[in-house]
Amino acid sequence: MNKPILLSTPHIGNYELDFVKEAFETNWIAPVGPHVDAFEQEFCQITGAAYAAAVSSGTAALHLALRLVGVEAGDEVFCSTLTFTATANPIVYQGAKPIFIDSDRISWNMNPDLLREALEQRDRLGKLPKAVIVVHLYGQSADIDPILAACNQYDIPLIEDAAESLGATYKGRSPGTFGRIGIYSFNGNKIITTSGGGMLVSPEPELAAKARFLATQARDRAPHYQHSEIGYNYRLSNVLAGIGRGQLLALNERVAARRHNFEMYASTLGKLPGLEFMPEANYGRSTRWLTCLTINSEAFGANREQVRLALATQQIESRPVWKPLHLQPVFSECEYFGGAVAEDLFAHGLCLPSGSNLTSEELARVIDGITTVHYGTHKNQNHLLLL
Ligand SMILES: *Cc1c(COP(=O)(O)O)cnc(C)c1O
């Protein structure tokens, strides 16, 4: 039986355990401590962010971001539709309403023209959204400049969900550092992991400080326990921050490994008819966190689900591209601006195993599995020679 090949698994390097041991030896086993502070500083150095607050998850960071820009019950928040549900859930935690925006085909991310149209329409109605959340999907930045310009025109704060795109660039800078607040995730499947964790960044020191305050139960400065606001228990553990410091040291290698996966897939599978890879927009570098492609079933000879199931029988995990949030039962009442780009990407899109720890044998198995579906036979193994 073949060993399973999973989509994206944790990849631990050489230094994480030393940092964790240090936390044990110094007894900083708490959601506070020197690793937390150092992780924030090192994260700022790597991303170019000005200020950072380490928290327990990317979802927690998004929830804090919405609180910090003043999203309240009854407000509306614009949000990319093609994303994981964790992007929009915190809007609902705040009692606010998500309004979803379609993708463009260049980046698969929020279409800036649609955002502008939606803002113009809302402006005419006298009901502008309280915030915009743009997602940087699958390792690729959205087209930030026109998105930021549209937000600035109406004085609406931009929150960047860069959970999937740490290590990417937009015009040489890190996505997540352009808006009022950016967030990142260190879940087990992301490009670096702390098992679970997240980061909130901002150019405004007050916002990062307020994030830390709200993440530690909103304790006022007083010797007794005094609270003037409702807070959360969202701070990152010092033990996990130690893992994060070790992981950060390998970020560039992880990006290179994931881009290498993509190049192996593209140079082999790219020769088959009907397969099209997620484009890399010309304004920056994608990390290729996940290698994604769309399958034209007529040209390829099998549709996305047939390919996915064929891989599954060989113990290879692949997944459909995110189901757009405006199609999710839980968001069925929400308004939506756009056409069928995200819907089309969902209908035909597949994410391939993309971990930075994949071996060339594993890559060859995936490539062979897909090639085999196309030729409808197990006999053609020639492409393996390409590896
Ligand atoms: C993973 C992810 C999140 C949530 O991060 P967690 O750390 O798992 O809470 C949010 N948005 C996107 C786009 C993600 O992929």
Side-chain angles (χ1 to χ4, degrees), residues 57-59 62 83-84 86-87 135 161 163-164 185-187 190 197 322:
S57 70
T59 310
L62 274 166
T83 183
F84 182 41
T87 306
V135 179
D161 178 349
E164 301 181 1
S185 165
F186 313 120
N187 209 314
K190 298 301 194 315
W322 297 124

Side-chain angles (χ1 to χ4, degrees), residues 131-207:
V132 172
I133 304 179
V134 63
V135 179
H136 306 298
L137 208 62
Y138 294 131
Q140 170 149 275
S141 178
D143 191 0
I144 298 169
D145 280 348
I147 289 172
L148 197 55
C151 290
N152 286 343
Q153 185 180 333
Y154 295 97
D155 206 16
I156 295 167
L158 178 67
I159 297 169
E160 295 178 71
D161 178 349
E164 301 181 1
S165 292
L166 176 61
T169 62
Y170 178 80
K171 301 183 180 174
R173 283 173 56 194
S174 292
T177 63
F178 291 82
R180 271 196 87 189
I181 299 178
I183 75 95
Y184 301 84
S185 165
F186 313 120
N187 209 314
N189 61 350
K190 298 301 194 315
I191 196 156
I192 66 166
T193 183
T194 59
S195 73
M199 194 71 83
L200 179 150
V201 302
S202 176
E204 299 168 51
E206 310 79 38
L207 287 183

